[in-house]
Amino acid sequence: QLVEKFSGIFKKLRSKGKLSEQDVDLVLKELRMVLLESDVHFRVVKDLVNRVRERAVGRDVLDSVTPGEMVIKTFWEEIKNILGGEAHSLNTTGNIPVLHLLVGLQGSGKTTTAAKLASWLKKRGISPLLVSTDTRRPAAKEQLAILAHNSGVAFFDDSSCVTPLSMIQAAMSAAREKSADAIVVDTAGRLHVEKDLLAELRELIGEMAFQERFLVLDATTGQEAVKVAETFRDWVDPTGLILTKIDTDARGGAVLSIVAQTGWPVKLVGVGEKLEQLEVFHPERMASRILG
Amino acid sequence: SRIWGGEKIEDEDWEILEETLIQADIGPLLAMELVEGFREFKKESTGNKDWRGWLSQVLLKEISENDSRLFAGTAGKDLKALFLIGINGVGKTTVAGKLANYYQQKGEQVSLVAADTFRAAAIEQLQVWADRAKVHCIKGSAGADPGTVVYDGLEASLRRKDSLAIIDTAGRSHVNKNLLAELEKVSRIIGKHLPTDRVENLLVIDAMAGQNAFLQAESIGKAVPINGVILTKWDSQARGGIIFRIQKELGLPIKFIGVGEKIEDIIPFDPESFVQALVF
Ligand SMILES: Nc1nc2c(ncn2[C@@H]2O[C@H](COP(=O)(O)OP(=O)(O)OP(=O)(O)O)[C@@H](O)[C@H]2O)c(=O)[nH]1
Ligand SMILES: Nc1nc2c(ncn2[C@@H]2O[C@H](COP(=O)(O)OP(=O)(O)OP(=O)(O)O)[C@@H](O)[C@H]2O)c(=O)[nH]1
Ligand SMILES: [Mg+2]
Ligand SMILES: [Mg+2]
């Protein structure tokens, strides 16, 4: 299907014994545009194109495929390798209650994903407790409480807790009382340029051990994705990425950029607004999406 | 390094230009066009024009016609409406609150209409903004049909002799046919109450969005005729270059920019400062 898209350029390429530099450059130029249109970061595209050029030039062209097909296949392999061979599992082991933290930019889908994640854990025999440390957004706690109720998961709140740390500590005591073996913590959205808010998270992580610290990222994010990821890496040290809103048909180049730069595993993908719309990440499917 | 003025310097120039444009989310096609334009300019001009100076001029020209006013040329105190639409999480509800406050302060009598009956605590969230802006909030029940809420809301607003009704809607994926159909239906209901020159359909997009924001504008624009765009989270320092593509291919003007999470964090679109932030 990808080959059909590029049939125009392929007609220009003649099928030879080996791929010449010109042959490869022609296809690379087109593919570079495709990746940029998919929101892959400028620098990641550059590295990828250079690597593919090295691998493709001088390579033997098999009788069954055209030079263009060889280049595309090489590209697809490189992208797939960056995204990771197979799906990654959640870290659900550790001292009980296991703590999961969700952080990210405003509106990325943290609150919804917190409830989805709790529902996901519940289906796998884990008894989770949902808690919100968001004291900034209007009706943030109400939103999580409703989602918790809809997913049949316990929701913890103590209005006397004014800091995220005190809220989580109170949640931990409650978890032990209710024999909950996991706590999913929702946080307020914050920008990568809001250093005081990032400091708030860093302080929290210094005080509590979180088995998972997920960066929740909107799949429609553009070139800013790398800056966002690197900043959150420096302040929060995420253990993985949760990509949301893939159902907007966003090509999701941001995820390739971030994984290329940080090496983080992509643990889960949000594919809609409903509680059950959380899936395991499939590197191959993502690679095809990114290539258009 | 400009003192040499040789061919080598010019090569670096267009590369930095292209990089700046791509990183601003202007998109690869438009970036390529602009780089070609700059090359032509360098061939024809003898003066030593810095690419930044050239780019500022060119980009400013692209959006100089932009009219950021709402209801320009529409007079009278009769009811007008703002219909806020967009994908999930871009900032529609927050913009509704900010605009309610903004227009209330300008002397309009404003009501907020909570037509997001789907998402958890959406109505509660808008009510908080109504309290902050000190405006009336018209609500239906959670799970009610948004068309009904808008119908009842506009009726109530007319009875109250409001001059402006700001309608918040549920976020949606712009590729979900049912949700686009819902938007189209609600838009028609608004059209039955108010003449077109008294309704502004505003698309809300996130400044950090990539090329998908263009597809959002294109797709949602087929369901509801968009009058203008509101760009949120510009305080993220993302350049929001996608608006150039939206302006160029869809002809949509930018009306407001969201610059934070507080009620006063909204400013009318100013082409000069927008281009300045992108180029320098
Ligand atoms: N289409 C789609 N919408 C989603 C997905 N995940 C979350 N949403 C929606 O995105 C919007 C924002 O989600 P929230 O959970 O409120 O986002 P948040 O990160 O908690 O936002 P803040 O707390 O304000 O930072 C809501 O309308 C959600 O229903 C997804 O995978 N697909
Ligand atoms: N930094 C910053 N945050 C903003 C801005 N506008 C909105 N937000 C935040 O973005 C998040 C989402 O805002 P909402 O108003 O709930 O977005 P929405 O489009 O109504 O979301 P849905 O109804 O769920 O689709 C909230 O945390 C807001 O405070 C802005 O201009 N700057
Ligand atoms: Mg939230
Ligand atoms: Mg909303």
Side-chain angles (χ1 to χ4, degrees), chain A residues 22 41 79 82 90 102 109 120 137 157 174 192 224 235 239 264 270 290-292:
Chain A
Q22 287 100 312
H41 193 265
I79 293 176
I82 293 173
L90 293 182
L102 294 158
W120 173 284
R137 170 171 159 154
D157 186 28
H192 52 302
E224 215 62 15
W235 289 84
T239 55
W264 291 336
I290 291 171
L291 281 171

Side-chain angles (χ1 to χ4, degrees), chain B residues 213-246:
Chain B
F214 171 76
L215 298 174
Q216 292 165 27
E218 198 177 42
S219 172
I220 292 174
K222 291 199 176 114
V224 173
I226 299 171
N227 300 102
V229 171
I230 297 180
L231 191 72
T232 61
K233 309 178 199 171
W234 196 58
D235 47 315
S236 63
Q237 295 175 19
R239 301 305 202 284
I242 194 66
I243 65 127
F244 289 99
R245 195 175 162 194
I246 290 175

Side-chain angles (χ1 to χ4, degrees), chain A residues 32 37 39 42-43 46 105-107 137-138 143 146 191-193 220-223 245 247-248 250 273, chain B residues 15 18-19 22-23 25 28 88 118-120 125 171 173-175 208-212 233 235 245 261:
Chain A
R32 179 175 176 271
E37 190 69 27
D39 296 322
F42 182 86
R43 235 163 271 134
K46 206 174 191 176
L105 302 170
Q106 288 89 344
R137 170 171 159 154
Q143 183 187 3
I146 293 168
L191 297 173
H192 52 302
V193 299
T220 67
T221 311
Q223 295 288 313
K245 308 180 202 170
D247 52 304
T248 54
E273 296 193 73
Chain B
E15 237 192 276
E18 191 193 38
E19 209 173 297
I22 297 287
Q23 291 188 6
D25 286 311
N88 306 83
F118 170 74
R119 211 211 63 214
Q125 183 189 5
S173 158
H174 61 288
V175 303
M208 283 178 280
Q211 300 310 299
N212 191 266
K233 309 178 199 171
D235 47 315
R245 195 175 162 194
E261 299 192 77

Side-chain angles (χ1 to χ4, degrees), chain A residues 17-179:
Chain A
K18 284 197 188 300
L19 285 170
S20 77
E21 194 148 354
Q22 287 100 312
D23 291 339
V24 173
D25 275 346
L26 235 141
V27 185
L28 287 182
K29 203 155 168 281
E30 291 294 318
L31 284 172
R32 179 175 176 271
M33 295 299 271
V34 171
L35 292 184
L36 290 173
E37 190 69 27
S38 289
D39 296 322
V40 181
H41 193 265
F42 182 86
R43 235 163 271 134
V44 173
V45 174
K46 206 174 191 176
D47 292 342
L48 204 55
V49 165
N50 288 337
R51 271 213 302 285
V52 170
R53 180 182 289 120
E54 275 177 38
R55 277 188 59 189
V57 172
R59 221 175 128 161
D60 289 323
V61 182
L62 307 168
D63 299 323
S64 55
V65 295
T66 68
E69 285 170 340
M70 287 298 293
V71 178
I72 294 221
K73 184 162 180 298
T74 311
F75 237 111
W76 195 74
E77 283 172 6
E78 283 291 335
I79 293 176
K80 206 162 55 78
N81 288 341
I82 293 173
L83 293 177
E86 25 28 67
H88 295 271
S89 58
L90 293 182
N91 182 5
T92 52
T93 56
N95 290 330
I96 298 224
V98 173
L99 292 176
H100 298 273
L101 185 71
L102 294 158
V103 302
L105 302 170
Q106 288 89 344
S108 59
K110 299 175 293 299
T111 305
T112 310
T113 304
K116 286 179 178 180
L117 178 60
S119 190
W120 173 284
L121 293 172
K122 184 165 179 242
K123 288 201 182 89
R124 283 151 181 78
I126 295 170
S127 163
L129 187 63
L130 273 168
V131 63
S132 168
T133 60
D134 186 350
T135 52
R136 271 193 295 278
R137 170 171 159 154
K141 295 217 172 117
E142 287 87 323
Q143 183 187 3
L144 190 59
I146 293 168
L147 293 175
H149 173 79
N150 294 347
S151 59
V153 170
F155 173 72
F156 175 80
D157 186 28
D158 180 346
S159 46
S160 68
C161 294
V162 290
T163 66
L165 182 61
S166 57
M167 181 66 87
I168 297 173
Q169 285 169 335
M172 296 210 53
S173 321
R176 291 194 185 99
E177 281 171 29
K178 301 179 188 221
S179 337

Side-chain angles (χ1 to χ4, degrees), chain B residues 111-116 126 137-138 149-150 153-154 157 165-169:
Chain B
S111 273
L112 278 165
V113 180
D116 178 356
L126 191 67
C137 188
I138 301 166
V149 174
V150 169
L154 290 177
S157 224
I166 300 178
I167 305 165
D168 181 26
T169 64

